[in-house]
Amino acid sequence: MKGKVFIDTYILIYIFSRTDLEKKEISSNIIKASFKSDKFYISYQVIQEFSNVMLTKGKPPIKKDDISSFIAKILEPMCSFYPYIDFYKNALKLR
């Protein structure tokens, strides 16, 4: 995906940081930039990882409703890959 920028799960987690304010600011700026350009993207796996970390390891853990809202407003527009079962079947054929 030439010209595209993949946003890693940690970028999303740092948005909620209470201790590392520098990384929080950088992460926030990346997300703000993603609204101005279509070059930023994530995968469904990033959404899964983000949700799991924020529900179980977030300090304090984020409420499910807040995570759902963040996914709908911020992450869903950036998500460009939702696999179907055939994706996995075809991947196995390549081995």
Side-chain angles (χ1 to χ4, degrees), residues 42-95:
I42 62 171
S43 70
Y44 75 98
Q45 184 176 349
V46 169
I47 295 173
Q48 290 174 333
E49 291 171 349
F50 169 78
S51 300
N52 181 54
V53 168
M54 298 314 289
L55 283 170
T56 60
K57 298 176 185 168
K59 295 181 182 174
I62 296 180
K63 297 175 187 171
K64 288 188 279 185
D65 290 343
D66 294 336
I67 291 174
S68 292
S69 178
F70 188 79
I71 290 170
K73 293 177 184 175
I74 308 296
L75 303 185
E76 189 175 346
M78 288 191 291
C79 192
S80 62
F81 181 67
Y82 300 95
Y84 294 95
I85 195 66
D86 287 342
F87 168 80
Y88 299 104
K89 290 178 181 178
N90 290 332
L92 291 171
K93 289 177 186 177
L94 295 175
R95 290 195 56 94

Side-chain angles (χ1 to χ4, degrees), residues 2-61:
K2 189 174 183 176
K4 293 283 193 173
V5 177
F6 183 78
I7 296 177
D8 185 70
T9 306
Y10 283 104
I11 298 294
L12 304 173
I13 292 169
Y14 280 124
I15 291 171
F16 296 91
S17 177
R18 292 180 179 211
T19 57
D20 197 332
L21 299 180
E22 181 180 3
K23 288 181 181 176
K24 179 177 183 156
E25 182 178 355
I26 292 168
S27 296
S28 294
N29 288 337
I30 291 170
I31 297 304
K32 287 176 190 172
S34 75
F35 288 113
K36 299 175 185 173
S37 171
D38 63 352
K39 72 177 186 176
F40 297 91
Y41 74 101
I42 62 171
S43 70
Y44 75 98
Q45 184 176 349
V46 169
I47 295 173
Q48 290 174 333
E49 291 171 349
F50 169 78
S51 300
N52 181 54
V53 168
M54 298 314 289
L55 283 170
T56 60
K57 298 176 185 168
K59 295 181 182 174

